[in-house]
């Protein structure tokens, strides 16, 4: 009791001191703003890119430096490393008020140590590993002068044609929200201002992932129901986790560009969610409101963006060129400008930059942190956890230790660049472990022969004969194919998501040898590969696994690591099925029998089911589910119900199962998806071991947004489903909500 009281007193004191600190920062910001001219205020909202660009820019570098000296720039992106950030910060300190710059960068999946691409990490369903990955990335970036990363991307993405599916957590709102929280915590640590953390950015607010036809930057048109139910929750989770900043997006949402969207930025984010951080535009998205047809010219764009709640203009030059005049003309009220400036300055104080503008730019720390060997271990751990075993016919995997000759073939087998994926900043390419090198160092006595067959992209089949000859002399073929690193990411939408070039022909040529084939697939998105899915003996999906990719793949191939990854996004059979998600709505004519689909909601040339469903992923062991029980079959008010069952490892090796809880609200005022993920757990079991697994179901679990967009649960029957994948439900039960 006494300890409880002490703990309560300590936490109250901490809350008070946090409150006191906020008030103190608030006073400092007020004092500073009193001294600022309108030009200097506008300067704080102007963000410029350094020497490396990630988008079109329009100002000479020398002009940028002059503007920094004049106090007309608040933040720089794409300036990295202690030496460069120091040099540029020194210019800002020559300005009249000596307000330090914020240095920002797209640290998306690692800084020097490259982690798997975010979609790959999402397949781990492992919040600790994901948080650690973001933390290591933050630590390295913060040691190299960076204060702020433009990550995590928390856009729900259900269209694999969109290249940016690679940067997010996939299609699911529940999983995506958990991952958003983990990533924000990982980047930011416990408190802003620690020099092993950076500010996070929840992007791209909002609904960017729903670009029509999967074409990047395209318009978005969706019901508010969908927006609230599917696309906003990961942003809310990021805000709740304390994300210091938000980035808006290139798309229009129901006719209004996100950058000029007061409904999103003022009503929802800063209004309903009471968000205290600041919003940065996406690259040039303020000026892009002109071609959108929403702003008449750059000046109009500046007015519309800031009034709608966009605080900082990234490489748009709309604020720097027009905001001051707009304020003088009364088109932007002083309190609107002041609010934006206050939000930005508050973060600079929280980071401690006014105490020491160079505190993130310490050469000794940069050297020590960037050389920290433990970071590679973290990268290996999450890369292994990200790998998904899609198929394992006849239990070909793990490869037997008795295997004598292994042929490693394929355009991506010896690639280092492709293993890194897109958005790599300072990755040490020469130290990336390629797949063939990983296999060589794990293969023991087996003889490894390698043939590339064709260069990445696989435009030519000239090398196929040599590869086939190499394969014919082996006992098993490991074929590494997929997309090249630059085929997914920003501006990398594809209408055809099959394997590029002649890779399928290569597979067929190798298959003709009669040797067993393990396919290792690398990609930043779900690909369509029906022939391989039908004919390969085993398939592992490794995404772009990062610096330790080859070791991770080899550990899985030889069974030193038992794969446990599960797909965070549906793999279609064809582009024609897109959009396809497990959380679909039933129709009045659902398919109940695939053999008889006439006048059903179906296709005449394809089944409805995807190639691999959301949540799918195999293991080298087997798991049995049994004994489902509910603590009560009915529920009322704020009551909670516990669902539990036995999970047993019935195979021969230890392994981890990601158990998934889905539910369906059977009848409601707005029809509900046939399945919605509501919980998951990673359970590690030894062979023969059984564990009782339980989930708590509360009112929130059963709630949804009704027609009035009010969150709540409606009385009636709910179907609860537990399984190994969204299409592999093992146990079911019904729960009645009585009031
Ligand atoms: C992307 C953002 C990125 C920004 C800065 C834009 O083109 O959409 O995600 O953070 O560039 O590099």
């Amino acid at each position: 009791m006494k300890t409880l009281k002490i703990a309560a007193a300590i936490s109250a004191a901490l809350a008070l001191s946090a409150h006191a600190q906020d008030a103190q920062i608030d006073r400092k910001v007020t004092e500073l703003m009193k001294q600022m001219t309108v030009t200097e205020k506008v300067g704080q909202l102007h963000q410029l890119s350094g020497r490396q660009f990630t988008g079109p820019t329009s100002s000479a570098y020398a002009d940028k430096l002059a503007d920094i000296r004049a106090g007309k720039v608040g933040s720089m992106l794409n300036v990295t490393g202690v030496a460069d950030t120091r040099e540029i910060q020194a210019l800002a300190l020559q300005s009249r008020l000596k307000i330090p710059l914020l240095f920002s960068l797209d640290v998306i999946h690692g800084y020097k140590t490259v982690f798997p691409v975010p979609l790959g990490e999402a397949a781990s369903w492992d919040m600790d590993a994901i948080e650690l990955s973001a933390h290591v990335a933050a630590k390295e970036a913060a040691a190299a002068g960076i204060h702020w990363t433009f990550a995590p991307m928390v856009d729900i993405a259900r269209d694999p044609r969109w290249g940016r599916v690679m940067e997010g957590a996939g299609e699911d709102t529940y999983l995506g929200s958990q991952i958003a929280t983990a990533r924000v915590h990982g980047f930011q640590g416990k408190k802003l201002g620690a020099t092993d953390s950076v500010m996070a950015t929840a992007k791209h607010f909002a609904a960017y992932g729903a670009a029509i036809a999967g074409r990047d930057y395209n318009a978005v048109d969706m019901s508010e129901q969908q927006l609230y139910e599917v696309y906003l929750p990961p942003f809310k989770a990021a805000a709740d986790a304390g994300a210091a900043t938000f980035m808006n997006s290139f798309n229009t949402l129901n006719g209004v560009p996100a950058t000029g969207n007061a409904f999103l930025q003022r009503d929802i984010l800063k209004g309903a969610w009471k968000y205290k951080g600041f919003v940065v535009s996406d690259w040039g998205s303020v000026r892009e409101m002109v071609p959108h047809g929403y702003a008449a010219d750059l000046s109009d764009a500046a007015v519309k963006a800031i009034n709608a709640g966009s605080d900082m203009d990234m490489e748009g030059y709309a604020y720097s060129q027009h905001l001051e005049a707009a304020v003088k003309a009364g088109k932007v009220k002083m309190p609107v400008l002041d609010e934006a400036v206050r939000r930005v300055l508050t973060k600079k104080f929280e980071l401690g930059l006014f105490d020491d503008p160079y505190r993130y730019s310490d050469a000794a720390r940069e050297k020590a942190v960037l050389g920290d060997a433990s970071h590679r271990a973290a990268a290996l751990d999450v890369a292994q956890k990200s790998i998904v075993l899609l198929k394992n016919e006849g239990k070909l995997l793990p490869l037997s230790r008795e295997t004598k000759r292994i042929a490693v073939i394929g355009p991506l087998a010896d690639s280092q660049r492709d293993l890194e994926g897109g958005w790599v900043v300072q990755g040490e390419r020469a130290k990336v472990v390629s797949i063939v090198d990983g296999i060589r160092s794990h293969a023991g006595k087996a003889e490894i022969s390698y043939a590339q067959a064709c260069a990445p992209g696989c435009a030519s089949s000239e090398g196929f004969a040599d590869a086939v000859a190499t394969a014919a002399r082996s006992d098993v073929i490991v074929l590494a194919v997929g997309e090249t690193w630059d085929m997914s990411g920003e501006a990398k939408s594809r209408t055809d998501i099959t394997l590029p070039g002649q890779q399928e022909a290569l597979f067929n040529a190798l298959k003709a040898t009669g040797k067993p084939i393990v396919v290792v697939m690398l990609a930043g998105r779900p690909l369509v590969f029906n022939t391989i899915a039908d004919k390969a003996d085993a398939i592992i999906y490794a995404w772009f696994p990062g610096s330790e990719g080859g070791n991770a793949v080899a550990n899985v191939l030889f069974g030193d690591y038992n794969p446990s990854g599960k797909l965070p996004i549906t793999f279609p059979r064809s582009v024609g099925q897109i959009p396809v998600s497990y959380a679909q709505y039933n129709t009045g004519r659902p398919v109940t029998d695939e053999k008889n689909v006439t006048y059903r909601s179906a296709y005449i040339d394809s089944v409805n089911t995807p190639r691999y469903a959301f949540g799918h992923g195999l293991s080298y062991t087997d798991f049995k589910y049994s004994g489902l029980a509910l603590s009560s079959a009915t529920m009322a008010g704020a009551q909670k119900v516990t669902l539990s069952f036995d999970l047993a490892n019935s195979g021969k090796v230890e392994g981890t199962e990601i158990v998934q809880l889905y539910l369906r609200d059977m009848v409601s005022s707005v029809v509900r998806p046939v399945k919605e993920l509501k919980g998951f757990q990673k359970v590690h079991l030894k062979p023969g071991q059984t564990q009782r697994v339980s989930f708590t179901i509360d009112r929130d679990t059963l709630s949804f947004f009704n027609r009035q967009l009010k969150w709540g649960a409606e009385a009636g029957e709910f179907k609860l489903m537990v399984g190994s994948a969204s299409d592999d439900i093992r146990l079911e039960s019904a729960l009645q909500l009585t009031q």
Side-chain angles (χ1 to χ4, degrees), residues 391-454:
K391 180 179 182 185
N392 194 14
E393 205 100 311
K395 303 217 163 168
L396 175 62
L397 291 180
L399 294 176
S400 157
R401 285 282 172 202
E402 306 306 312
T403 312
K404 291 207 169 60
R405 294 163 308 173
I406 303 173
V408 182
I409 313 278
L412 302 181
D414 198 22
S415 170
Q416 292 174 303
R417 179 64 193 93
D418 293 294
L419 260 62
E420 291 181 312
W423 281 127
V424 175
V425 256
Q426 297 286 333
E428 271 183 305
R429 192 138 313 145
K431 291 199 178 161
V432 174
V433 182
S434 75
I435 290 173
V436 68
D437 280 344
I439 292 175
R440 280 189 188 117
S441 60
H442 289 73
K445 289 187 297 238
E447 178 194 315
I448 308 298
S449 48
Y450 162 69
Q452 189 189 29
C454 53

Side-chain angles (χ1 to χ4, degrees), residues 280-322:
V280 62
S281 79
D282 204 345
W283 182 293
S285 68
V286 176
R287 64 163 55 231
E288 288 179 15
M289 293 201 293
V290 178
H292 271 304
Y294 190 73
D297 50 29
L298 199 56
S299 159
D300 191 27
V303 171
K304 286 185 166 139
I306 195 156
N307 283 335
S310 293
D311 300 309
M312 188 180 274
D313 178 10
M314 182 199 295
E315 272 287 341
Y317 301 88
Y319 288 7
S320 62
Q321 292 173 18
H322 298 287

Side-chain angles (χ1 to χ4, degrees), residues 47-60 64 77-78 105-106 150 164 203 208 216-217 247 250 281-285 287-288 314-317 423 490-492:
Q47 187 184 51
L48 291 177
S49 179
R51 273 172 276 227
Q52 315 131 10
F53 304 131
T54 45
T57 183
S58 61
S59 175
K64 295 183 176 187
L77 71 146
N78 295 337
L105 188 71
D106 292 276
F150 296 136
R164 302 196 82 168
K203 71 185 190 186
Y208 181 40
D216 209 1
Y217 315 124
M247 184 186 292
F250 292 122
S281 79
D282 204 345
W283 182 293
S285 68
R287 64 163 55 231
E288 288 179 15
M314 182 199 295
E315 272 287 341
Y317 301 88
W423 281 127
E490 186 177 349
K492 299 290 159 55

Side-chain angles (χ1 to χ4, degrees), residues 566-641:
K566 302 274 188 182
L567 296 179
I569 185 165
T570 306
F571 277 44
R573 288 172 197 275
S574 68
V575 162
Q577 286 184 315
I578 298 170
V580 54
S581 159
Y582 83 94
Q584 59 181 307
Y585 301 97
N586 228 11
T587 65
R589 297 183 181 193
V591 171
T592 45
D593 173 7
E594 287 284 4
K595 291 195 196 73
N596 182 9
V597 298
T598 315
Y599 291 110
R600 294 270 147 191
S601 182
Y603 299 103
I604 56 171
D605 60 351
S606 169
V607 292
N608 285 356
T609 53
R611 187 81 230 193
Y612 298 108
F614 173 83
H616 172 75
L618 305 173
S619 164
Y620 294 153
T621 190
D622 298 307
F623 296 100
K624 293 260 172 310
Y625 291 63
S626 64
L628 181 80
L630 292 181
S631 59
S632 164
T634 62
M635 193 172 137
Q639 195 187 335
K640 291 182 180 174
V641 168

Side-chain angles (χ1 to χ4, degrees), residues 24-36 97 342 345 349:
Q24 197 185 34
I25 287 181
D26 227 42
R27 277 195 300 278
K28 287 182 178 167
V29 172
T30 306
E31 278 311 307
L32 179 58
M33 284 179 62
K34 274 187 200 151
Q35 304 170 51
M36 293 171 79
L97 292 173
R342 176 173 290 281
L345 291 177
F349 274 105

Side-chain angles (χ1 to χ4, degrees), residues 215-230:
R215 203 180 74 217
D216 209 1
Y217 315 124
N218 206 2
V220 173
D221 204 283
M222 71 166 60
S223 69
E224 286 192 1
Q225 194 85 38
Q226 274 286 296
L227 181 69
Y228 273 68
E229 183 171 315
V230 178

